[in-house]
Amino acid sequence: MGEATPMRVAIAGLGTVGSGVAKVLEQHQKDTSDAASTQPRLVRILERNPNAPQAQPWYAEKPELFSDDLNDLLREDVDVVVETIGGCGFARTLITEALKAGKHVVTANKDLIAQHGPELTALANAQGRHLLFEAAVAGAIPVLRLLKDYFQVQDLLELKGILNGTTNYILSEMESQQLAFATALSQAQELGFAEQDPTNDIKGFDARYKLVILTHLITGQWLAPEDITLEGIDHLDTADFEYANRMDRRIKLVALLQRTDAALRAYVLPLMIPKDDLLAKISGSTNVVTLHGRFSEDISLIGKGAGSLPTASAIVADLNRVQHPKHHRMNAGVSARPLESFDQYCFQHTLRFEVRDRPGIVGHIGQVLAGHGINIYALEQLPHYQDHESQQAIFTITLESAQEGLVQKALAEIQDADFMVAPVVILREPVPEQKGAPV
Amino acid sequence: MGEATPMRVAIAGLGTVGSGVAKVLEQHQKDTSDAASTQPRLVRILERNPNAPQAQPWYAEKPELFSDDLNDLLREDVDVVVETIGGCGFARTLITEALKAGKHVVTANKDLIAQHGPELTALANAQGRHLLFEAAVAGAIPVLRLLKDYFQVQDLLELKGILNGTTNYILSEMESQQLAFATALSQAQELGFAEQDPTNDIKGFDARYKLVILTHLITGQWLAPEDITLEGIDHLDTADFEYANRMDRRIKLVALLQRTDAALRAYVLPLMIPKDDLLAKISGSTNVVTLHGRFSEDISLIGKGAGSLPTASAIVADLNRVQHPKHHRMNAGVSARPLESFDQYCFQHTLRFEVRDRPGIVGHIGQVLAGHGINIYALEQLPHYQDHESQQAIFTITLESAQEGLVQKALAEIQDADFMVAPVVILREPVPEQKGAPV
């Protein structure tokens, strides 16, 4: 498609994001109001309920654009379909049919792309059409553009970031206001920072979907979401934040991708982060991605991940990429690498134990750890975590750097002991030595 | 130039940055070691002193690449000249001759581009050649790529940032270690964060050069550096940081560009920044740029601005842009706008007075301010800023939001008073209402 003819765009789903896309397109049309404008032009809207709040103003003004029939999107006068319906049901059908009909597709549907990316990108390639989903990743943080244009892909060794605004908001509030998880969550829900069913966010699924998509866009590989080690934040408690604070650390839900000579490493985990680290300074519903390259100092991108207009803006940016396609694929010439087993990763582990207090517990735990060659770095049991009535106590042990697999073996033994009241809560801190290596 | 033939690169000046470029190019050649590699290839080095420390290892290995004759860079077997000599003398001649001989030119020479950009870009356009200087701006912060690919230019309303790592390091140390300016500067010099002649950094010239170049790349306009209001940081003292701290502020040297309907606003000034603002959280020699768009939340880019490899890396990224030119100019269709007079800008001004103490001073100052319709927001005179022997005292007044021109008029009157020992030190804080407006 040349620059001379404007792209004809259909939007499927005129909810928050879809109406945002319509708004940005309309504004850009107004900005360049001459007849010869090459700005993308909105020609159709698929919406079953044109009287829904977001759709209604558009329906009132331009009813002729509206349709409730998928086939109207597949007609010849549409060049590109923007999917903003969400979910893995009808959206999947719609994208499949659009690609088959020779349309380009732009979407911000991360659940769908993370779970069905392999089949959908294969179809797009077979059809010679663009399937663009940068808007699905980190919302308004245009990290992919940066990756593509700035880094030679072989020079990028590590990407780490806070990819979910809801959990970062909750963690910030738990820390600064000394709130329990449930309290911070309800507060986030009241303020609109968390959904009524917050599972996708607080269990870390959302961040993991984004990591899957980023990994594909960087390496060309699709990892299955369930292969990436994941922990959410709903098991964390005020005691964890108090301990982290005394260790001069903050707790952040971090998504990581590392490339070593032979493998990829990836996880989404709540980590202990030193307070002077940039990641620790990012509070509230803000997202951050830090890139570590072979030849460059770390570069970080910071922005709000959420919101209608930012996501819409990212979709429009993708639309412009359809019009001005890049010469080169980013991941050309990068060989596929297996995902290293999580057992092999090294961390400094902090373990919070909740026990029925009796003499000899710490001694027992220490012995089990030593039996696996694991040393204790710090140990803390504070009087105010002791409940004399229930005979229960909380104490925290930080281990010296150890391999995950070893720690898990030791914990499996410890977990069996009769004094254990609840599963051990683990907080990890990355070990500096473990850095990615060039291709 | 197609992708099939590798670009033939000559480097002029094999100092820190030049040898960094050579190293990155060599590494990329190794990464793709097949004969058909399309990676840029180093074919010539202009260096008068091949036995200088950075050049010597290259001269020992590849003496055939070296020349001390400018004409060897203008020969047919060179496609692009990388200028890393610096300064506005020979570098200017070299770039002019290279463009005239039909070469593309890549440079990180911000002094030269900020001062002679209009003539050099005009020459490049006339010759149909690329003159790329993204590496000149903010070192490893690839803000321009982001601007070009992510924002529709008409949507970018404001760019603000910390563009100089040396001054940010000094400010951070003055604040956190309660150091006098001179002490923090010597420390920065010992650690290699500041040059022996630090004028360019501490007077703000370096940041202003970068702002001139950014402004050109965003708007297509060249502002004359001297038209942009500038204050450095060498007049600041511990009293300023203590006051800022009590006001829950930090002091940062901020470069700003705003676009309003009818004008541009630009300055480089030490500003008071609320501590929870991202800019205030950036400490040490780190740079940051925050972009404020019409349709997107703020996006910030953070990275180290200095160092050989990051700058070299940015130059190599520019080299790749020569090979894969963009379809569209970023600033196409953006109309030129005049620079608004600094007198028109609004700030909340904080004024530090150093006076020979006698009764009635504050009363006098208050009257003069009131005479210009300016209200006082806060006033502080602390006992430990009072020197009884010399009869001198320091006190600080923060004004309510006022126009710069009014404050300057009032200060001109106050400055004449017999009690004034030194010029008033002004620290400004941007007023929230004053935001850019769309094109």
Side-chain angles (χ1 to χ4, degrees):
Chain A
M1 163 158 309
E3 288 198 49
T5 41
M7 228 171 3
R8 295 161 301 177
V9 179
I11 298 177
L14 209 65
T16 315
V17 173
S19 61
V21 172
K23 187 174 162 190
V24 174
L25 289 179
E26 187 186 50
Q27 187 62 50
H28 286 167
Q29 282 289 342
K30 275 190 198 152
D31 288 344
T32 53
S33 54
D34 54 70
S37 165
T38 59
Q39 296 285 343
R41 194 182 300 272
L42 180 59
V43 297
R44 198 140 310 133
I45 293 168
L46 182 70
E47 176 58 60
R48 285 177 189 174
N49 183 5
N51 288 312
Q54 310 277 4
Q56 204 281 323
W58 294 91
Y59 188 58
E61 210 180 318
K62 296 182 176 171
E64 73 280 7
L65 295 185
F66 279 71
S67 162
D68 60 0
D69 180 358
L70 169 54
N71 289 310
D72 287 335
L73 264 63
L74 308 179
R75 294 206 326 243
E76 258 198 1
D77 61 351
V78 170
D79 298 311
V80 51
V81 172
V82 173
E83 182 275 311
T84 63
I85 292 168
C88 294
F90 178 64
R92 187 178 169 193
T93 309
L94 175 117
I95 291 178
T96 305
E97 293 304 314
L99 289 170
K100 281 186 180 164
K103 314 298 175 202
H104 302 292
V105 173
V106 175
T107 178
N109 188 334
K110 58 181 159 290
D111 308 35
L112 178 64
I113 296 297
Q115 295 178 83
H116 301 283
E119 102 208 16
L120 293 174
T121 48
L123 175 60
N125 289 338
Q127 294 291 106
R129 287 297 174 270
H130 289 283
L131 170 62
L132 298 178
F133 41 82
E134 174 158 345
V137 195
I141 298 194
V143 62
L144 295 177
R145 261 146 245 278
L146 200 65
L147 282 171
K148 280 188 191 151
D149 286 339
Y150 187 65
F151 282 95
Q152 303 259 342
V153 136
Q154 67 266 36
D155 296 341
L156 179 73
L157 304 185
E158 185 185 280
L159 175 153
K160 72 178 170 203
I162 297 170
L163 300 182
N164 181 276
T166 303
T167 44
N168 202 50
Y169 174 83
I170 292 174
L171 292 174
S172 299
E173 291 297 300
M174 288 181 76
E175 181 198 319
S176 65
Q177 312 295 321
Q178 289 100 46
L179 300 182
F181 172 79
T183 316
L185 172 60
S186 342
Q187 184 183 302
Q189 285 171 322
E190 274 162 39
L191 293 169
F193 288 130
E195 296 182 43
Q196 284 316 305
D197 177 359
T199 315
N200 231 12
D201 292 318
I202 65 174
K203 294 285 186 189
F205 296 127
D206 177 79
R208 187 164 68 174
Y209 287 152
K210 286 172 182 160
L211 189 60
V212 166
I213 297 173
L214 280 170
T215 302
H216 170 71
L217 287 156
I218 293 169
T219 68
Q221 281 181 256
W222 285 108
L223 299 178
E226 58 274 18
D227 288 347
I228 298 178
T229 300
L230 170 70
E231 275 180 27
I233 63 161
D234 52 339
H235 59 297
L236 299 179
D237 208 343
T238 41
D240 300 312
F241 289 86
E242 288 166 16
Y243 183 79
N245 186 44
R246 286 191 293 272
M247 303 289 281
D248 216 22
R249 299 284 188 275
R250 293 210 166 94
I251 299 173
K252 293 293 180 183
L253 185 65
V254 173
L256 175 128
L257 172 68
Q258 267 183 356
R259 302 177 343 121
T260 70
D261 285 336
L264 297 181
R265 293 194 192 113
Y267 59 69
V268 174
L269 293 171
L271 295 183
M272 300 272 258
I273 307 279
K275 279 187 185 168
D276 57 0
D277 205 286
L278 179 66
L279 250 59
K281 295 181 182 176
I282 304 305
S283 55
S285 66
T286 302
N287 285 198
V288 55
V289 173
T290 296
L291 306 170
H292 177 71
R294 185 160 45 152
F295 295 126
S296 49
E297 301 270 353
D298 287 3
I299 295 176
S300 301
L301 260 167
I302 296 174
K304 299 275 179 193
S308 153
L309 280 179
T311 304
S313 198
I315 287 177
V316 173
D318 268 350
L319 276 174
N320 285 302
R321 281 177 64 207
V322 173
Q323 205 152 17
H324 307 285
K326 297 272 163 179
H327 288 278
H328 51 307
R329 277 174 60 99
M330 176 175 185
N331 44 39
V334 177
S335 54
R337 253 161 274 196
L339 190 60
E340 191 175 274
S341 159
F342 189 61
D343 282 349
Q344 306 287 317
Y345 299 14
C346 285
F347 294 100
Q348 179 166 310
H349 296 76
T350 290
L351 312 171
R352 170 161 60 85
F353 295 89
E354 217 174 319
V355 299
R356 228 176 327 269
D357 210 9
R358 63 160 171 75
I361 292 181
V362 170
H364 173 75
I365 291 173
Q367 270 183 337
V368 174
L369 290 169
H372 290 86
I374 300 168
N375 291 325
I376 290 177
Y377 172 76
L379 188 151
E380 186 187 79
Q381 177 170 358
L382 294 182
H384 65 277
Y385 292 132
Q386 204 131 6
D387 184 339
H388 288 289
E389 220 160 296
S390 70
Q391 294 281 309
Q392 290 193 4
I394 291 174
F395 62 89
T396 307
I397 295 179
T398 299
L399 308 178
E400 289 188 2
S401 168
Q403 221 171 30
E404 180 69 25
L406 277 182
V407 175
Q408 289 298 344
K409 270 187 208 156
L411 285 181
E413 266 182 57
I414 293 166
Q415 199 70 58
D416 283 342
D418 59 352
F419 55 73
M420 292 297 294
V421 174
V424 176
V425 172
I426 310 177
L427 280 164
R428 299 169 181 86
E429 181 166 332
V431 183
E433 305 92 84
Q434 199 172 37
K435 278 278 179 193
V439 180
Chain B
M1 163 160 305
E3 289 201 45
T5 41
M7 228 174 358
R8 295 162 301 176
V9 179
I11 298 177
L14 209 65
T16 316
V17 173
S19 61
V21 172
K23 189 175 161 189
V24 174
L25 289 178
E26 187 185 48
Q27 187 62 49
H28 286 167
Q29 281 289 342
K30 274 190 198 152
D31 288 344
T32 53
S33 54
D34 53 69
S37 164
T38 59
Q39 296 286 342
R41 194 181 300 273
L42 180 58
V43 298
R44 197 138 312 135
I45 292 167
L46 182 71
E47 176 57 61
R48 282 176 189 175
N49 184 4
N51 289 312
Q54 311 275 4
Q56 204 283 321
W58 294 90
Y59 188 58
E61 210 181 317
K62 296 180 175 173
E64 73 279 7
L65 295 185
F66 279 72
S67 162
D68 60 359
D69 180 359
L70 168 56
N71 289 309
D72 286 336
L73 263 62
L74 308 179
R75 294 205 328 241
E76 259 198 359
D77 61 350
V78 170
D79 298 311
V80 52
V81 172
V82 173
E83 183 274 311
T84 63
I85 292 168
C88 295
F90 179 64
R92 186 178 169 194
T93 308
L94 176 120
I95 291 178
T96 305
E97 293 304 314
L99 289 170
K100 282 185 181 165
K103 314 299 176 201
H104 303 291
V105 173
V106 175
T107 179
N109 188 334
K110 60 182 156 289
D111 307 35
L112 179 64
I113 296 297
Q115 295 177 83
H116 301 283
E119 102 207 17
L120 293 174
T121 47
L123 176 59
N125 288 338
Q127 294 289 106
R129 287 297 175 272
H130 290 283
L131 170 61
L132 299 178
F133 41 82
E134 174 158 346
V137 195
I141 299 193
V143 61
L144 294 177
R145 261 146 244 280
L146 199 64
L147 283 171
K148 280 185 189 152
D149 287 338
Y150 187 64
F151 283 94
Q152 303 257 343
V153 136
Q154 66 267 35
D155 296 342
L156 180 73
L157 303 185
E158 184 185 279
L159 175 154
K160 73 178 169 203
I162 297 170
L163 300 181
N164 181 276
T166 303
T167 44
N168 202 49
Y169 174 83
I170 293 173
L171 292 174
S172 299
E173 291 298 299
M174 288 180 76
E175 180 198 320
S176 64
Q177 313 295 320
Q178 289 100 47
L179 300 182
F181 172 78
T183 316
L185 172 61
S186 343
Q187 184 183 303
Q189 285 171 321
E190 274 162 38
L191 293 169
F193 288 129
E195 296 183 44
Q196 283 317 303
D197 177 358
T199 314
N200 231 13
D201 292 318
I202 64 173
K203 294 285 187 189
F205 297 126
D206 177 80
R208 187 164 67 174
Y209 286 151
K210 287 171 181 159
L211 188 61
V212 166
I213 296 173
L214 280 169
T215 303
H216 171 71
L217 288 156
I218 293 169
T219 67
Q221 280 181 255
W222 285 107
L223 299 179
E226 59 275 17
D227 288 348
I228 297 178
T229 300
L230 170 71
E231 275 181 29
I233 63 161
D234 53 338
H235 60 297
L236 299 178
D237 209 343
T238 41
D240 299 311
F241 290 86
E242 288 166 16
Y243 183 79
N245 185 46
R246 286 190 293 271
M247 303 287 282
D248 217 22
R249 298 286 188 275
R250 292 210 167 93
I251 299 172
K252 295 292 181 186
L253 185 64
V254 173
L256 174 128
L257 172 69
Q258 266 183 358
R259 304 178 341 122
T260 70
D261 285 335
L264 297 181
R265 291 194 194 115
Y267 58 70
V268 174
L269 292 172
L271 294 183
M272 300 274 257
I273 307 278
K275 278 187 186 168
D276 57 359
D277 204 286
L278 180 66
L279 251 58
K281 295 181 182 176
I282 304 306
S283 55
S285 65
T286 302
N287 285 195
V288 56
V289 173
T290 297
L291 306 171
H292 177 71
R294 187 162 41 155
F295 294 126
S296 49
E297 301 269 354
D298 287 3
I299 295 176
S300 300
L301 260 166
I302 296 175
K304 299 275 181 196
S308 154
L309 280 179
T311 304
S313 198
I315 287 177
V316 173
D318 268 350
L319 277 175
N320 286 301
R321 280 177 65 208
V322 174
Q323 206 151 16
H324 308 284
K326 299 271 164 179
H327 287 279
H328 51 310
R329 275 174 61 101
M330 173 176 188
N331 44 38
V334 178
S335 55
R337 252 160 275 196
L339 190 59
E340 190 174 276
S341 160
F342 189 61
D343 282 350
Q344 307 288 316
Y345 300 15
C346 285
F347 295 100
Q348 179 166 311
H349 297 75
T350 289
L351 313 171
R352 170 162 60 85
F353 294 89
E354 217 175 319
V355 300
R356 227 177 328 270
D357 210 9
R358 64 161 170 76
I361 292 181
V362 170
H364 174 75
I365 291 173
Q367 271 183 336
V368 175
L369 290 169
H372 289 86
I374 301 167
N375 291 324
I376 291 177
Y377 171 76
L379 189 152
E380 186 188 79
Q381 177 171 357
L382 294 181
H384 66 277
Y385 292 131
Q386 200 130 9
D387 183 339
H388 287 290
E389 220 159 295
S390 70
Q391 295 282 308
Q392 291 193 3
I394 290 174
F395 62 89
T396 307
I397 296 179
T398 299
L399 308 178
E400 289 187 1
S401 169
Q403 222 172 28
E404 180 68 25
L406 277 182
V407 174
Q408 288 297 343
K409 270 187 208 156
L411 285 180
E413 266 182 57
I414 292 166
Q415 200 69 56
D416 283 342
D418 59 351
F419 54 75
M420 292 297 294
V421 174
V424 175
V425 172
I426 310 177
L427 281 164
R428 298 171 181 85
E429 181 167 333
V431 183
E433 307 91 85
Q434 197 172 40
K435 279 278 180 193
V439 180

